[in-house]
Amino acid sequence: MAKMERGHNVLAWGWDILISVCATAAALYVPAHLVLGFESTTGLILPELIVTAVFVLDIGIRYRRSGPFGEDVGRGGTPRKGQQVAGAVIDIAAALPVYFILGNTPLMLLRLLKLGRVAQLMRRWRSHQIKRVNALRLAFFLYGMALSSHWIACGWIEIRGVEAGADRWTRYLEGLYWCVTTLSTVGYGDVAPENNLQRMYAMGVMMLGVGVYGFIIGTVSTILANLDPARVNYLQKMEQVGAFMSYRDLPNQLQQRIKDYYRYLWQQKLDHNEGAVLSGLPPSLGTEVTLFLKRDLLEHVPLFKDASEAFIREIALEMKSVVFMPGDYVIRAGDRGRDMYFVTRGTLEALSPDGTTVYSTMSKGDFFGEMALVFDQPRSASVRAIDYCDLYRLDRDLFDHVLTHFPDIAEKVKARAAERQRGQ
Ligand code: CMP
């Protein structure tokens, strides 16, 4: 809760939730009471007392400081005078103890005006939970559906009249049953309208049902599709790649390796287009995000752990992450050296040029490929990935930059290169 919002504190959130719970309870029990009535007349006293007290208190809190706890009342900042007056009228009307003054009367439905606060809370909640926006949208939609079904069922019970003998619960369930079958466009027809008013009501609900049905299908499918955009993205990419591979008739083994590669990227959450996200951010925020994304490099590679702030900003931020699959050659002996690598995940082996001797194995925190750059010579060994490896690549230009501008780091790299040369 604490990190939900800067301006809207925990108390204010708690109060808004309490108001929403009371408004929802009233929206359920008031119509139900009006059409079915409670067993005893005292049944409504307690909830009405609580709701009245909370709503009256809310008026005090809201208008003591032109908003709840001195904050926004409407969308986008301070409300205008007209909005404020309308808000006050609505709040006062919803807080009136109609039941205690006039007894059972449809005016009790004034309580429902307070549902505007639930909508406000939902909007605010959604804008602060961007990660769960789709799940929240689905929950709010279900909330709206449940309330509407309840009201439609109550309306049907009202115009249908009271069946003699049936208890309240059965009558309510009959109304709800009719509502659900009609609203969901199933319409078994076992509960048929008997007069013109009922026919008109039924037609209205059917029309609503068709609209709602289309809306549900559209909304729910969009929400479900968006619940896991990374997965949708991955599946789309796999389809594209699959079509390409079969169109170009790639060998099965190669196809499998390509699929494995994409699956690995997805599993490791490496397949996001970071560039597109970062380019939309201001430079300082972009740097912060990049540093966070490269924390595996900065935390696990000793050379970077002790490095200066200047080094990290100039070099670490520029390095690109690359993935190699089991059996892939990262470096082949004899090639020209264009870059060096840092290992953040996986294991690799350095092999003699003829591939018969394993010089050493390298894992998280190691670096390799520096000898060709330090001694300006062809690659002295081959380096092959044993399992999936996540590496960071430093190209020659950046490497030269390191050598000239960061002598302490250059010293360590050179010392390691010399040590390895002796070990060959
Ligand atoms: P380079 O010669 O550029 O390319 C192959 C790399 O394998 C080399 O740099 C070193 O980083 C690494 N390497 C070569 N020999 C050894 C060794 N004996 N032990 C560990 N690593 C080595």
Side-chain angles (χ1 to χ4, degrees), residues 283-361:
S284 59
L285 198 54
T287 308
E288 232 175 282
V289 174
T290 315
L291 283 177
F292 176 78
L293 294 176
K294 297 213 167 144
R295 64 194 181 286
D296 47 356
L297 170 75
L298 303 173
E299 283 169 9
H300 298 134
V301 178
L303 208 58
F304 287 90
K305 236 191 239 172
D306 329 315
S308 66
E309 176 84 17
F311 174 76
I312 287 174
R313 289 203 178 267
E314 286 215 44
I315 308 298
L317 286 180
E318 291 294 321
M319 291 172 62
K320 298 275 174 293
S321 97
V322 280
V323 171
F324 285 88
M325 296 171 68
D328 279 354
Y329 278 87
V330 184
I331 285 176
R332 284 189 190 271
D335 283 358
R336 206 157 64 86
R338 296 188 186 85
D339 40 30
M340 66 173 289
Y341 296 87
F342 296 86
V343 187
T344 58
R345 184 199 294 258
T347 318
L348 305 102
E349 53 191 5
L351 302 166
S352 59
D354 57 6
T356 52
T357 316
V358 175
Y359 288 148
S360 74
T361 55

Side-chain angles (χ1 to χ4, degrees), residues 25-299:
L28 290 173
Y29 76 72
V30 170
H33 172 73
L34 286 176
V35 297
L36 294 165
F38 281 108
E39 301 282 342
S40 64
T41 43
T42 53
L44 213 57
I45 290 178
L46 188 63
E48 275 292 288
L49 265 180
I50 296 174
V51 170
T52 309
V54 171
F55 285 6
V56 168
L57 211 60
D58 183 52
I59 298 176
I61 290 171
R62 259 161 81 85
Y63 297 99
R64 198 157 56 98
R65 306 178 202 165
S66 73
F69 304 95
E71 287 162 32
D72 59 326
V73 184
R75 269 201 232 198
T78 328
R80 272 176 280 127
K81 197 88 197 141
Q83 274 177 306
Q84 251 173 352
V85 172
V89 171
I90 286 176
D91 279 347
I92 292 169
L96 289 176
V98 177
Y99 176 69
F100 297 118
I101 302 168
L102 302 173
N104 289 338
T105 151
L107 279 177
M108 286 171 71
L109 291 170
L110 282 173
R111 291 264 194 250
L112 271 59
L113 289 173
K114 206 71 175 175
L115 284 175
R117 283 290 286 283
V118 182
Q120 225 177 58
L121 175 74
M122 286 177 178
R123 269 202 305 271
R124 196 178 294 136
W125 200 348
R126 245 190 353 220
S127 60
H128 290 99
Q129 290 286 322
I130 294 173
K131 258 171 90 179
R132 285 184 218 117
V133 74
N134 281 312
L136 284 178
R137 194 175 290 157
L138 187 62
F140 298 157
F141 177 72
L142 293 177
Y143 169 87
M145 277 303 295
L147 263 192
S148 316
S149 306
H150 174 71
W151 292 334
I152 293 171
C154 289
W156 178 249
I157 295 166
E158 177 64 18
I159 61 167
R160 185 84 175 168
V162 177
E163 251 176 64
D167 66 293
R168 286 178 179 77
W169 183 236
T170 310
R171 270 166 28 217
Y172 176 70
L173 277 186
E174 276 174 2
L176 195 62
Y177 168 80
W178 175 85
C179 165
V180 171
T181 52
T182 312
L183 209 56
S184 61
T185 71
V186 173
Y188 288 118
D190 53 346
V191 185
E194 285 162 358
N195 57 37
N196 284 348
L197 180 62
Q198 289 179 19
R199 276 182 207 110
M200 275 162 33
Y201 188 79
M203 281 193 300
V205 176
M206 280 177 210
M207 306 272 270
L208 195 68
V210 175
V212 168
Y213 191 67
F215 186 73
I216 291 179
I217 302 284
T219 313
V220 172
S221 57
T222 317
I223 288 172
L224 291 181
N226 288 336
L227 271 183
D228 192 352
R231 188 179 166 78
V232 174
N233 195 12
Y234 164 69
L235 292 175
Q236 273 175 355
K237 195 177 279 171
M238 287 312 287
E239 260 177 43
Q240 272 175 7
V241 172
F244 166 79
M245 292 189 304
S246 64
Y247 178 64
R248 301 305 296 257
D249 213 8
L250 294 190
N252 283 344
Q253 211 197 352
L254 197 53
Q255 291 198 13
Q256 194 51 47
R257 281 169 61 74
I258 293 174
K259 282 184 197 158
D260 288 347
Y261 169 73
Y262 278 115
R263 190 172 308 128
Y264 178 76
L265 284 193
W266 182 60
Q267 280 166 353
Q268 299 300 322
K269 305 201 180 346
L270 296 172
D271 61 340
H272 288 282
N273 188 355
E274 285 171 20
V277 177
L278 291 174
S279 64
L281 296 175
S284 59
L285 198 54
T287 308
E288 232 175 282
V289 174
T290 315
L291 283 177
F292 176 78
L293 294 176
K294 297 213 167 144
R295 64 194 181 286
D296 47 356
L297 170 75
L298 303 173
E299 283 169 9

Side-chain angles (χ1 to χ4, degrees), residues 3-23:
K3 60 175 185 179
M4 261 179 161
E5 176 181 358
R6 245 181 260 150
H8 205 65
N9 61 33
V10 179
L11 253 183
W13 275 104
W15 183 251
D16 278 355
I17 289 171
L18 178 68
I19 296 289
S20 301
V21 170
C22 289

